[in-house]
Amino acid sequence: MRHRLSIRLASTSIAFALALTSTGAVALAGYAPPSTGSRIGGSSGAVPSPLIAHALTHGKAGSRGSIDLRTLSKQSLEPRPVGKLPLLGRKSGTTVPPTIGGPSPRVGAAFPPTIATTNADGPSAKTGFGGLSTMSGPTTAGEPPDPWVAVGPEHVVQVVNTSMRITDRQGNVAIPDVSLADFFQLPTSPATFDSDGRVIFDSLHGRWLATEVSWDCAISGGSNFGTGYVDFAVSRTSDPTGAWDSYFVGYQDFLPDFPAPGTSADKVGLASNFFTMGAPSSGGSCLDNLTFFAAHITVMDWSDLTNGGSVSLVGGNLNGFSPRFAVQVPATSNRLHLVMELNDQGVGYVSLIGSAVANTVATERTDLLTSDGIVAGFLDPPPPSQPDTPATIAQAVDSRPTDAIWQNNRLLFVATYPCTPSGDVTLRDCVRVTELHTSGLTVPTEPSLRQDFVIAENTKDNYMGGIGLSGNGTLHVGWTRSSVTPGDFPSSYSAHQAMGDALKSLSAKELLKAGTAAYVGQRWGDYVGVAQDPQVPSQVWDGNQSSAGGSGWATQITPLQPQGTTYVPITPVRVVDSRSGIGLAGKFKTSTARTWQVTGVGGIPAGAVAVTGNMTITGQTGAGYVSVTPTATNVPQSSSLNFPVGDVRANNVTVPLSSSGGLSAVYKAATGKTADLVFDVTGYFVAADTGATLHPMTPARVLDTRTSRGLAGRFVSGTPRTLVIGGTWAIPPTATAIVGNLTVTGQSAQGYLSVTRLPTATPATSTLNFPFGDTRANGLVAPLSGTGALSIVFKSSTAGATAQVILDVTGYFVPGTGGLRFVPLNPGRIMDTGTRAVLSGLHGTFAANTARQLAVDGHWGVPLTARAVAGNLTVTGQTGGGYISVTPGPPPPGPATSTLNFPLGDTRANGLVTPLNGSGGTYLVYVSVSGKRTNLILDLAGYYE
């Protein structure tokens, strides 16, 4: 007899007991029968608690090979029969029971959720576009819609019913829609049906992951009634229109329902409900007599999924209902977190560690959160009301959790819950959002409750919620609302809670898409997608549905982003110096990311969401680069500073902070190399109107000591000089800071330049470091004094050393909201001419003295409304020394300003802020001797709009 290794939850009064059994038969494709040597206990093999004893099956997923979506989208749809899953509940084999529970003063041992209050946050909905609908074709027609959305660097991918649509960020269709059955290469014989598609983008690995459930009713291979499958596919790059590798796991005589993926830094979890197939009714199918069996989980390693080969997986059963692995946004921990509805409707929690490849996956914690008095359980909601006929959507929702997400030890899940709104006397549908705090300790503790609230409105039903966390920690909730009020058809709404807002509060609701008629279908869906934007830390995307008449529905894709930030310049403050132990102590080691706190240091407030600053490398034992990112990663997608051995080098950066107010950096070089890092902050951005906004300008040279522009004569070491900028060069006297590029040339000795508000011969920070004889530039955002001036001092260990200094200005900040607001981006490589990187802009080397335009807006998170961008420009592989000039329009021969200066053979980077032209682009020109060529890389850090 085949063995089934199951995970069982014994009861609500004791913890999970995970035990090996030999009853039943769950045949996993490619699985070898489990043996008594299966892994038991935690990472050491010991049972971590007397209440836990578990064993998990281990095996391989089946493969359907690879498929290229560009090719598939050009082919005709494969003719397939239409099949839909019934609404499957935990208590019945066919439908959720019609009984309606109501909240008691206490639910289990925990208090029920409270009604959310309204905070003062402004709106967040930006211009969106229509998505898939019942009119999109045969693979979307029918009910329920089950809409899901995911967002990558350049694309939006929507999955609804059994269709997939890929667009750019403006909604332009990238390739023709494809059916999920064709995408997953499902066989046509025997007849195979599919449902419940989902897709996510994992920014850590730069891959898309799509999942669905499929089934057939063929009796073969030991099956009495049919086989159910969980299908999954992984893209080979961050471009979803290219190649994917497709896999499946099969279960004879079992139907996996409601499957959903979750992620950690090293693992992917798939969670679903298992139903046993029964004998079909006369002329019916193997879905006629389904009986709930258990919840099921499958765990895989990202290392397997990204290599295109076989995939090891570990699986087991939970004695509960609708387990949801949390999607980490972004993935920063190796723990998988899971929440589920227990058989008594309580809340269960599981954390998993280990590796599927090594067969070391083990439960770390299993907690009964409701009976432990931490969070109230789930309750069945009533059918939501609507105007006209029918008066309700009969099987619209049930009590189960529909989604879960995790970020920085914040674990959130969403469900529909019965409640009586203030001023109402009727039990209504209310969207429930629960947030737990998980432990980041090596030995974690039981999660604690942070907030538990419902979205409730007098006489209105609010249901089918989706949740998303932006990169800066803002919680967004999307949902459907309807009522008996005339015209109040099922419509899509959203609201948000920013970091620092009162817990259990949301902004005023926003209507995203109004329904147009009563919905006559029986079901409204199983979930709704809200996706984090991997490029814009302050943005998520909502993909909710609204009614469109009859059984029709339509979806709307809406980016949700609160208003952009304003800038506060400060006297430069050093937040990290690994040499002296400021912020971090000890040298950086190759490929080991380190994190430090920024907010709360040197007057930088907790509300800061991004900073400008200057990063310096020194004492490096190997050539390489440093990448500064909001969260830690050992495999960065961009670089912030490139350098050889023995060169103290600095670069200006603009970078978003993590949701906890920190930054991370990783030093990439040969194994065993070390380096010291210094980071000075020159200003910060806040999500408020209290700071200044940017006014970009055509680059202007305001200082060139070689020609006596601004100041005459060479700088002398140790002697600060003041330059008045406000009130000159069309820069108003009210300007508080300038954006530009500082260049040193003709220096008689090595040293550094420091730009400060007021003159000082002993500055605490540096702006531009340089050796002898190297014309070198560094971008800067420099604060101005109250008189509109800044000061520059040249510091050298050589007495009497001199240098020529040049300053080009590309913009200025003025207090108030009359200029452009800044929106930080996670670093994204929009151009790499040398590697032909996927989704990179221009390709092929730059020829000397030939300008090329790079399209910027509409790409890598930059919207069409952007007026300027901040980023990092790198030159590499140049065949001759020279400089790069970046300008909004085509530069004249021998342009008047420079952005990046370099000699032959030095990979060099410089931070920049550059205006965009009327077509949303910018021009770059390599100025050098005729016939020379070079490669350029541009990483974006943010945009102004």
Side-chain angles (χ1 to χ4, degrees), residues 266-310:
D266 66 342
K267 291 183 288 294
V268 169
L270 301 177
S272 58
N273 291 318
F274 263 27
F275 289 82
T276 57
M277 295 177 175
S281 303
S282 177
S285 78
C286 56
L287 302 191
D288 290 344
N289 294 292
L290 296 171
T291 303
F292 179 68
F293 174 70
H296 186 80
I297 58 171
T298 298
V299 178
M300 302 165 285
D301 289 0
W302 269 114
S303 59
D304 256 9
L305 292 171
T306 56
N307 67 16
S310 62

XYZ file of all heavy atoms in Angstrom, residues 266-310:
324
model
N 14.370 31.710 0.278
C 14.943 30.520 -0.351
C 13.909 29.456 -0.724
O 14.263 28.452 -1.317
C 16.000 29.890 0.570
C 15.423 29.323 1.858
O 14.284 29.692 2.223
O 16.105 28.519 2.514
N 12.636 29.678 -0.391
C 11.629 28.647 -0.629
C 10.361 29.237 -1.238
O 10.096 30.434 -1.126
C 11.272 27.941 0.686
C 12.369 27.065 1.262
C 11.911 26.345 2.519
C 11.773 27.271 3.706
N 13.054 27.843 4.152
N 9.591 28.344 -1.850
C 8.231 28.635 -2.307
C 7.313 27.596 -1.682
O 7.631 26.401 -1.670
C 8.125 28.577 -3.842
C 6.661 28.602 -4.289
C 8.876 29.735 -4.479
N 6.183 28.049 -1.155
C 5.192 27.134 -0.616
C 3.906 27.221 -1.418
O 3.495 28.309 -1.829
N 3.276 26.090 -1.674
C 1.963 26.034 -2.312
C 0.996 25.411 -1.317
O 1.270 24.340 -0.763
C 2.007 25.200 -3.592
C 2.962 25.662 -4.697
C 2.946 24.688 -5.862
C 2.592 27.060 -5.176
N -0.139 26.073 -1.100
C -1.107 25.595 -0.119
C -2.472 25.462 -0.772
O -2.877 26.303 -1.572
C -1.182 26.563 1.059
N -3.197 24.397 -0.439
C -4.507 24.162 -1.042
C -5.352 23.312 -0.106
O -4.879 22.814 0.920
C -4.352 23.455 -2.396
O -3.663 22.223 -2.252
N -6.624 23.160 -0.463
C -7.527 22.236 0.225
C -7.641 20.954 -0.587
O -7.744 20.999 -1.809
C -8.914 22.867 0.382
C -8.923 24.022 1.341
O -8.307 23.967 2.396
N -9.629 25.095 0.978
N -7.637 19.818 0.072
C -7.774 18.528 -0.585
C -9.194 17.982 -0.404
O -9.701 17.921 0.724
C -6.784 17.516 0.015
C -5.515 17.369 -0.772
C -5.034 18.398 -1.560
C -4.782 16.186 -0.730
C -3.873 18.273 -2.278
C -3.608 16.049 -1.446
C -3.151 17.098 -2.231
N -9.806 17.590 -1.518
C -11.111 16.946 -1.500
C -10.976 15.583 -2.172
O -10.344 15.460 -3.218
C -12.146 17.784 -2.241
C -12.533 19.042 -1.529
C -11.736 20.181 -1.627
C -13.673 19.095 -0.746
C -12.083 21.345 -0.963
C -14.025 20.264 -0.082
C -13.221 21.388 -0.183
N -11.580 14.566 -1.563
C -11.580 13.237 -2.180
C -12.645 13.191 -3.268
O -13.768 13.672 -3.093
C -11.865 12.146 -1.146
O -13.106 12.419 -0.505
C -10.757 12.086 -0.110
N -12.271 12.632 -4.404
C -13.220 12.445 -5.493
C -14.083 11.220 -5.203
O -13.594 10.204 -4.689
C -12.483 12.251 -6.817
C -11.703 13.464 -7.279
S -10.785 13.110 -8.809
C -10.110 14.732 -9.185
N -15.359 11.315 -5.545
C -16.262 10.200 -5.316
C -16.869 9.701 -6.612
O -16.570 10.197 -7.702
N -17.726 8.726 -6.485
C -18.390 8.160 -7.668
C -19.285 9.212 -8.300
O -20.049 9.884 -7.613
C -19.205 6.939 -7.272
N -19.195 9.385 -9.607
C -20.023 10.410 -10.265
C -21.487 10.031 -10.272
O -21.854 8.851 -10.260
C -19.446 10.460 -11.680
C -18.828 9.127 -11.893
C -18.320 8.685 -10.556
N -22.341 11.034 -10.295
C -23.769 10.809 -10.492
C -23.988 10.363 -11.932
O -23.084 10.448 -12.773
C -24.548 12.091 -10.210
O -24.288 12.560 -8.902
N -25.166 9.929 -12.224
C -25.465 9.443 -13.566
C -25.190 10.537 -14.592
O -25.754 11.627 -14.518
C -26.940 9.006 -13.648
O -27.260 8.602 -14.970
N -24.271 10.254 -15.492
C -23.908 11.226 -16.520
C -23.078 12.375 -15.996
O -22.850 13.353 -16.716
N -22.628 12.275 -14.736
C -21.884 13.374 -14.131
C -20.388 13.182 -14.222
O -19.879 12.498 -15.115
N -19.669 13.772 -13.262
C -18.203 13.738 -13.282
C -17.675 13.366 -11.910
O -18.431 13.221 -10.937
C -17.652 15.098 -13.700
O -17.710 16.012 -12.615
N -16.368 13.248 -11.810
C -15.727 12.885 -10.549
C -15.784 14.013 -9.526
O -15.330 13.843 -8.387
C -14.281 12.475 -10.794
S -13.279 13.730 -11.643
N -16.345 15.175 -9.884
C -16.507 16.270 -8.937
C -17.898 16.293 -8.317
O -18.214 17.194 -7.531
C -16.254 17.620 -9.629
C -14.884 17.836 -10.293
C -14.723 19.298 -10.682
C -13.739 17.399 -9.390
N -18.733 15.315 -8.663
C -20.111 15.338 -8.174
C -20.203 15.120 -6.673
O -21.094 15.664 -6.014
C -20.954 14.274 -8.888
C -21.214 14.619 -10.345
O -21.018 15.795 -10.710
O -21.601 13.717 -11.109
N -19.330 14.290 -6.121
C -19.438 13.925 -4.708
C -18.092 14.115 -4.009
O -17.470 13.164 -3.540
C -19.914 12.477 -4.571
C -21.319 12.294 -5.087
O -22.268 12.800 -4.492
N -21.467 11.597 -6.212
N -17.657 15.355 -3.977
C -16.396 15.680 -3.315
C -16.596 15.752 -1.802
O -17.618 16.240 -1.321
C -15.857 17.015 -3.820
C -15.464 17.077 -5.299
C -15.153 18.506 -5.702
C -14.273 16.170 -5.581
N -15.603 15.278 -1.065
C -15.628 15.328 0.390
C -14.327 15.942 0.889
O -13.240 15.518 0.466
C -15.792 13.925 0.993
O -16.982 13.332 0.481
C -15.865 14.002 2.513
N -14.435 16.925 1.772
C -13.220 17.564 2.277
C -12.382 16.562 3.065
O -12.886 15.835 3.903
C -13.573 18.764 3.157
C -12.357 19.440 3.724
C -11.469 20.125 2.898
C -12.071 19.372 5.077
C -10.341 20.725 3.416
C -10.948 19.971 5.605
C -10.078 20.656 4.778
N -11.082 16.561 2.766
C -10.170 15.624 3.411
C -9.217 16.344 4.367
O -9.172 16.050 5.552
C -9.375 14.874 2.346
C -8.305 13.977 2.895
C -8.641 12.822 3.574
C -6.966 14.283 2.731
C -7.661 11.985 4.097
C -5.981 13.457 3.242
C -6.323 12.300 3.934
N -8.448 17.301 3.864
C -7.466 18.013 4.691
C -6.922 19.176 3.883
O -7.111 19.268 2.669
C -6.318 17.084 5.102
N -6.260 20.066 4.578
C -5.476 21.091 3.899
C -4.124 20.492 3.530
O -3.625 19.590 4.206
C -5.292 22.298 4.795
N -3.533 20.982 2.445
C -2.286 20.399 1.965
C -1.263 21.492 1.672
O -1.614 22.583 1.212
C -2.523 19.590 0.694
C -1.316 18.848 0.212
N -0.914 17.648 0.772
C -0.411 19.134 -0.750
C 0.180 17.225 0.168
N 0.503 18.105 -0.759
N 0.000 21.191 1.937
C 1.090 22.121 1.618
C 2.177 21.391 0.837
O 2.405 20.196 1.016
C 1.706 22.759 2.877
C 2.249 21.681 3.834
C 0.697 23.663 3.572
C 3.054 22.245 4.996
N 2.827 22.139 -0.046
C 3.986 21.667 -0.793
C 5.056 22.746 -0.712
O 4.757 23.934 -0.870
C 3.633 21.408 -2.269
O 2.636 20.374 -2.342
C 4.843 20.979 -3.056
N 6.296 22.343 -0.480
C 7.409 23.286 -0.319
C 8.500 22.945 -1.326
O 8.848 21.769 -1.505
C 7.978 23.236 1.117
C 9.160 24.186 1.268
C 6.883 23.593 2.134
N 9.040 23.971 -1.997
C 10.109 23.820 -2.979
C 11.188 24.865 -2.707
O 10.933 25.868 -2.033
C 9.556 24.015 -4.396
C 8.441 23.054 -4.757
S 7.536 23.586 -6.235
C 6.554 24.924 -5.570
N 12.376 24.644 -3.252
C 13.481 25.601 -3.125
C 13.562 26.484 -4.365
O 13.430 25.995 -5.494
C 14.813 24.875 -2.954
C 14.962 24.203 -1.608
O 14.024 24.292 -0.778
O 16.011 23.574 -1.373
N 13.809 27.782 -4.158
C 14.020 28.677 -5.287
C 15.199 28.226 -6.147
O 15.196 28.394 -7.367
C 14.263 30.106 -4.802
C 13.028 30.940 -4.675
C 12.479 31.439 -3.528
C 12.183 31.385 -5.747
N 11.345 32.163 -3.807
C 11.146 32.150 -5.169
C 12.193 31.215 -7.130
C 10.136 32.751 -5.927
C 11.190 31.805 -7.888
C 10.178 32.559 -7.291
N 16.218 27.658 -5.522
C 17.390 27.216 -6.288
C 17.011 26.170 -7.324
O 17.617 26.099 -8.402
C 18.466 26.662 -5.345
O 17.961 25.562 -4.595
N 16.019 25.331 -7.012
C 15.505 24.357 -7.978
C 14.682 25.042 -9.064
O 14.813 24.741 -10.257
C 14.622 23.332 -7.260
C 15.342 21.993 -7.070
O 16.550 21.930 -7.345
O 14.689 21.033 -6.650
N 13.829 25.957 -8.651
C 12.895 26.570 -9.579
C 13.579 27.449 -10.616
O 13.057 27.644 -11.717
C 11.865 27.406 -8.810
C 10.888 26.610 -7.945
C 10.073 27.541 -7.062
C 9.966 25.767 -8.812
N 14.736 27.995 -10.277
C 15.406 28.905 -11.202
C 16.461 28.231 -12.071
O 17.079 28.894 -12.904
C 16.079 30.052 -10.420
O 16.976 29.509 -9.447
C 15.047 30.913 -9.728
N 16.644 26.906 -11.920
C 17.671 26.257 -12.749
C 17.094 25.518 -13.939
O 17.834 24.952 -14.749
C 18.544 25.320 -11.905
C 17.785 24.101 -11.374
O 16.701 23.776 -11.846
N 18.361 23.441 -10.376
N 15.762 25.492 -14.059
C 15.131 24.888 -15.224
C 15.178 23.379 -15.277
O 14.800 22.780 -16.275
N 15.646 22.729 -14.202
C 15.730 21.272 -14.188
C 14.621 20.654 -13.352
O 13.523 21.200 -13.241
N 14.930 19.507 -12.745
C 13.942 18.849 -11.905
C 13.740 19.653 -10.623
O 14.612 20.419 -10.204
C 14.402 17.429 -11.566
O 15.617 17.461 -10.834
